């Protein structure tokens, strides 16, 4: 089998009924039951019935994306799928990767990501922060444009805008206070960006405005026992593979208010001899990014029985 890696998606790929294609698959049912027990609610019903607005609440989005990704991963394993050479996750997806690599159990991770989501929402009330995707511009120019926009508010201003997700060579997400993000969009378009698209999110994730949430998360992480990873996990914040529990905790703490260095993560995975990257969980966002980051890498997605069969054939 060709060397491959599994990567796990973050917020934005959720949809009502995203696990329906699995039918009554016993592995998926067991995963939903475990998560529901850990969260004290029927998470399967929430995923199946929605409504869409409920799934879009970050306190629901984070656990449902975790559960859906872990379910797909477990089906792969139960179906005799080989162990990947590495795993990684985009933003929230890093928690799915932690479960896949054996660092956390699903029973630990589901309440943890809900806590993380609540802390993030409390840190910056809805409407105060914003995020936007900048398309068709080099990441360094995006960073320079953010600095230019922030400078217009003066040195003593609390307005902030930062580059927070380096998704592919021509797509960088910015985040911060609403006024500063809007100003940065103006500046970046004037500087040559093809598009600046406001994102429908409830908080400025991965920006420095998330530091209060990160502080709460650090306390929560300190109370959890972490196992040694069974599969190398390339983290977002340092693009590093860590085995020490305290270093993993610290990386998760800093990830909450630091950038997702996805382009570098994909390059690091490629450097481990991987030729194919499989996105495990709802959607095909990361599979598309893979091909834009490195045209020699194969990107595919695993999210239902049909795509499972396709991935097995691709890797055979």
């Amino acid at each position: 089998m060709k060397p491959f890696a599994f990567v796990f998606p973050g917020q934005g790929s959720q949809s009502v009924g995203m696990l329906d294609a699995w039918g009554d698959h016993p592995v998926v049912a067991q995963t939903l039951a475990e998560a529901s027990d850990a969260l004290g609610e029927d998470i399967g019903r929430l995923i199946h019935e929605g409504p869409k607005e409920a799934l879009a609440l970050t306190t629901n989005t984070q656990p449902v994306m975790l559960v859906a990704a872990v379910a797909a991963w477990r089906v792969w394993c139960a179906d005799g799928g080989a162990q990947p050479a590495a795993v990684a996750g985009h933003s929230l997806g890093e928690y799915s990767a932690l479960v896949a690599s054996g660092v956390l159990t699903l029973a630990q991770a589901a309440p943890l990501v809900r806590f993380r989501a609540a802390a993030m929402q409390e840190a910056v009330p809805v409407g105060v922060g914003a995020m936007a995707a900048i398309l068709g511009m080099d990441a360094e120019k995006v960073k320079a444009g953010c600095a230019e926009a922030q400078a217009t508010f003066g040195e003593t201003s609390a307005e902030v805008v930062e580059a927070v997700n380096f998704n592919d060579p021509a797509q960088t997400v910015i985040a911060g206070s609403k006024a500063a993000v809007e100003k940065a969009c103006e500046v970046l378009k004037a500087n040559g960006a093809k598009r600046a698209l406001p994102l429908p999110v409830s908080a400025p994730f991965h920006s420095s405005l998330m530091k209060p949430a990160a502080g709460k998360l650090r306390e929560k992480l300190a109370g959890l026992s972490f196992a040694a990873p069974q599969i190398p996990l390339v983290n977002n914040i340092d693009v590093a593979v860590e085995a020490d529990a305290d270093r993993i905790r610290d990386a998760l703490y800093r990830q909450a208010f630091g950038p997702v260095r996805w382009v570098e993560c994909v390059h690091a995975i490629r450097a481990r001899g991987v030729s194919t990257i499989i996105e495990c969980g709802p959607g095909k966002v990361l599979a598309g990014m893979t091909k834009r980051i490195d045209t020699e890498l194969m990107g595919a997605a695993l999210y239902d029985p049909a795509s499972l069969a396709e991935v097995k054939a691709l890797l055979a």
Side-chain angles (χ1 to χ4, degrees):
M1 187 173 277
K2 305 163 190 172
F4 67 97
F6 266 51
V7 296
F8 299 87
Q11 290 187 219
S13 293
Q14 70 277 359
S15 62
V16 176
M18 60 187 172
L19 291 178
D20 288 358
W22 293 112
D24 57 358
H25 196 295
V27 171
V28 176
Q30 175 59 31
T31 302
L32 288 169
E34 278 181 47
S36 296
D37 285 347
L39 292 166
E41 71 167 289
D42 188 344
I43 201 77
R45 182 175 179 179
L46 175 63
I47 293 171
H48 176 63
E49 298 180 3
K52 181 181 177 181
E53 294 74 21
L55 283 190
L57 294 171
T58 192
T59 50
N60 287 332
T61 308
Q62 296 202 23
V64 300
M65 283 300 299
L66 169 81
V67 172
V70 170
W73 162 254
R74 288 180 171 181
V75 171
W76 167 261
C77 295
D79 204 48
Q83 184 169 291
V87 294
H90 188 283
S91 185
L92 163 72
E94 190 161 304
Y95 288 81
S96 303
L98 287 163
V99 175
S101 65
V103 174
L104 292 173
T105 65
L106 179 60
Q108 288 175 310
L112 177 61
V113 298
R114 172 156 281 173
F115 177 88
R116 176 180 183 265
M120 287 176 161
Q121 198 59 77
E122 289 164 12
V124 182
V126 175
V128 173
M131 299 181 77
I134 310 303
L135 308 180
M137 179 174 270
D138 173 79
E140 291 304 315
K141 291 182 179 178
V142 174
K143 288 195 279 187
C146 286
E148 182 183 336
Q150 189 168 318
T152 65
F153 294 96
E155 289 184 13
T156 58
S157 173
E159 300 291 344
V160 62
V161 58
E162 299 154 350
V164 297
N165 289 3
F166 299 97
N167 287 338
D168 70 38
Q171 184 195 119
T172 301
V173 174
I174 63 173
S177 51
K178 192 168 187 292
V181 170
E182 289 172 352
K183 180 64 177 177
C185 287
E186 291 175 21
V187 169
L188 291 164
K189 281 192 283 188
N191 290 354
K194 286 184 180 177
R195 301 182 75 184
L197 303 174
L199 299 179
V201 295
S202 58
F205 301 117
H206 298 290
S207 75
S208 57
L209 297 178
M210 291 287 103
K211 283 186 177 179
K216 294 178 183 177
L217 180 62
R218 180 159 59 179
E219 291 179 16
K220 181 66 76 171
L221 290 166
L224 290 176
S225 60
F226 281 39
Q230 301 303 301
I231 305 169
L233 190 161
V234 180
N235 69 27
N236 289 178
I237 191 69
D238 300 319
V239 194
V241 174
E242 301 289 3
D244 177 75
D246 286 338
R247 291 178 69 89
I248 295 171
R249 287 189 188 93
D250 182 60
L252 291 172
Y253 156 70
R254 289 182 290 113
Q255 189 231 45
F257 63 89
V260 174
R261 298 163 60 186
W262 194 247
V263 173
E264 293 172 88
C265 286
V266 170
H267 288 321
I269 290 170
R270 170 74 188 275
R272 300 180 78 87
V274 165
S275 57
T276 305
I277 294 182
I278 308 300
E279 178 174 5
C280 184
K284 302 177 183 178
V285 173
L286 301 184
M289 285 182 192
T290 294
K291 295 171 186 176
R292 293 193 295 274
I293 292 168
D294 188 331
T295 55
E296 293 186 12
L297 278 171
M298 179 73 70
L302 193 173
Y303 51 87
D304 64 9
S307 58
L308 171 64
E310 289 171 4
V311 167
K312 292 196 82 169
L314 176 68
L315 294 175

